C-alpha cells in the first residue's frame, strides 16, 4: 500500500475513544505524537499553539475535576485516559483557534497511527480562563495571552474501536 493510501486509511479509520486502559504510554511513543502536533500547519507559520503534556496522575485528576465542574457533571470527562495533551494558542495570532485545531487533528491522527486511542475533550478555554489554569501556565513559566483550544486525551483503548458512522448526505457540494 502506498504512503498516500496508508494516510487516507488512517484518516478514515480513526475513531474517538471513550474508554481507556490505565496503562502508561511509553515516552518514545508520546514524543512521536507530540512531534506530529508541532508539524501542524499554522497561519503564516506563526506557530501560535503550545502543547502541555500531562502524565502526572494528580495533575490529570485535578484537570478532570475542573473540566467536570465546568461541564456541570460528575465523573471523569477524560474517560480514564492516562495522558492529557492540552493545546493552547496565542490569542495575538488571528488564526490561533484554527492553528490549535489543526494541532489537535495531527495529535489524534499520529496517536491512531501508533496504536493509541484519542478523543478531543472541550472546555480547555474555560479551564485556562480560570485561576487554576492560569496557575498551571505560570508554574511552567508560560507567559502571554493563551486560549485553551482542547484536550487530546490519549491511552490504549479498552475494547474494540467504535464502528464508523454513516456519512451524512450533502456533506460535499461541487462547483465544476
Amino acid at each position: 500500500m502506498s504512503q498516500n493510501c496508508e494516510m487516507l486509511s488512517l484518516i478514515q479509520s480513526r475513531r474517538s475513544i471513550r474508554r481507556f486502559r490505565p496503562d502508561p504510554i511509553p515516552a518514545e511513543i508520546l514524543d512521536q505524537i507530540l512531534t506530529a502536533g508541532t508539524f501542524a500547519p499554522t497561519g503564516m507559520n506563526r506557530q501560535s499553539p503550545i502543547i502541555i503534556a500531562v502524565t502526572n496522575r494528580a495533575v490529570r485528576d485535578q484537570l478532570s475535576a475542573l473540566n467536570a465542574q465546568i461541564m456541570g457533571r460528575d465523573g471523569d470527562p477524560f474517560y480514564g485516559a492516562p495522558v492529557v495533551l492540552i493545546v493552547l494558542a496565542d490569542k495575538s495570532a488571528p488564526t490561533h483557534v484554527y492553528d490549535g485545531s489543526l494541532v489537535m487533528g495531527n495529535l489524534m491522527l499520529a496517536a491512531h497511527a501508533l496504536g493509541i486511542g484519542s478523543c478531543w475533550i472541550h472546555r480547555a478555554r474555560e479551564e485556562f480562563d480560570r485561576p487554576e489554569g492560569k496557575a498551571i501556565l505560570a508554574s511552567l513559566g508560560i507567559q502571554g495571552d493563551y486560549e485553551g483550544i482542547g484536550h487530546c486525551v490519549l491511552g490504549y483503548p479498552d475494547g474494540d474501536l467504535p464502528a464508523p458512522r454513516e456519512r451524512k448526505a450533502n456533506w460535499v457540494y461541487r462547483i465544476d
Side-chain angles (χ1 to χ4, degrees):
M1 183 183 291
S2 76
Q3 228 178 355
N4 292 337
C5 289
E6 288 176 34
M7 176 54 75
L8 293 174
S9 176
L10 284 170
I11 290 169
Q12 292 175 6
S13 62
R14 194 208 69 79
R15 299 284 173 269
S16 291
I17 302 302
R18 292 182 178 84
R19 207 167 93 200
F20 295 92
R21 298 190 329 239
D23 312 7
I25 297 173
E28 58 274 6
I29 292 177
L30 183 56
D31 287 345
Q32 290 178 66
I33 295 167
L34 290 165
T35 298
T38 70
F39 278 89
T42 61
M44 299 186 74
N45 198 27
R46 284 186 193 95
Q47 300 180 33
S48 69
I50 59 173
I51 306 166
I52 300 173
V54 179
T55 56
N56 176 290
R57 187 66 191 199
V59 174
R60 178 248 180 256
D61 290 349
Q62 174 190 4
L63 288 168
S64 173
L66 182 58
N67 195 290
Q69 180 186 44
I70 293 166
M71 188 172 43
R73 294 192 181 156
D74 291 327
D76 178 14
F78 298 157
Y79 302 109
V83 176
V84 178
L85 305 180
I86 308 155
V87 175
L88 301 103
D90 185 342
K91 290 182 184 179
S92 70
T95 57
H96 71 279
V97 172
Y98 311 112
D99 296 346
S101 296
L102 286 166
V103 169
M104 290 288 293
N106 271 24
L107 293 171
M108 292 185 293
L109 284 172
H112 180 54
L114 295 167
I116 304 296
S118 68
C119 191
W120 181 326
I121 307 298
H122 291 281
R123 294 167 295 283
R125 181 181 52 79
E126 295 89 342
E127 279 178 22
F128 286 86
D129 281 346
R130 290 183 175 209
E132 300 95 321
K134 292 186 184 310
I136 291 170
L137 296 179
S139 75
L140 294 169
I142 298 170
Q143 298 178 1
D145 193 13
Y146 284 90
E147 180 174 332
I149 305 301
H151 308 82
C152 180
V153 296
L154 301 175
Y156 291 99
D158 186 8
D160 295 331
L161 294 180
R165 290 190 178 172
E166 192 68 32
R167 300 293 94 184
K168 70 178 185 177
N170 302 319
W171 186 291
V172 176
Y173 293 83
R174 294 181 185 266
I175 301 175
D176 294 325

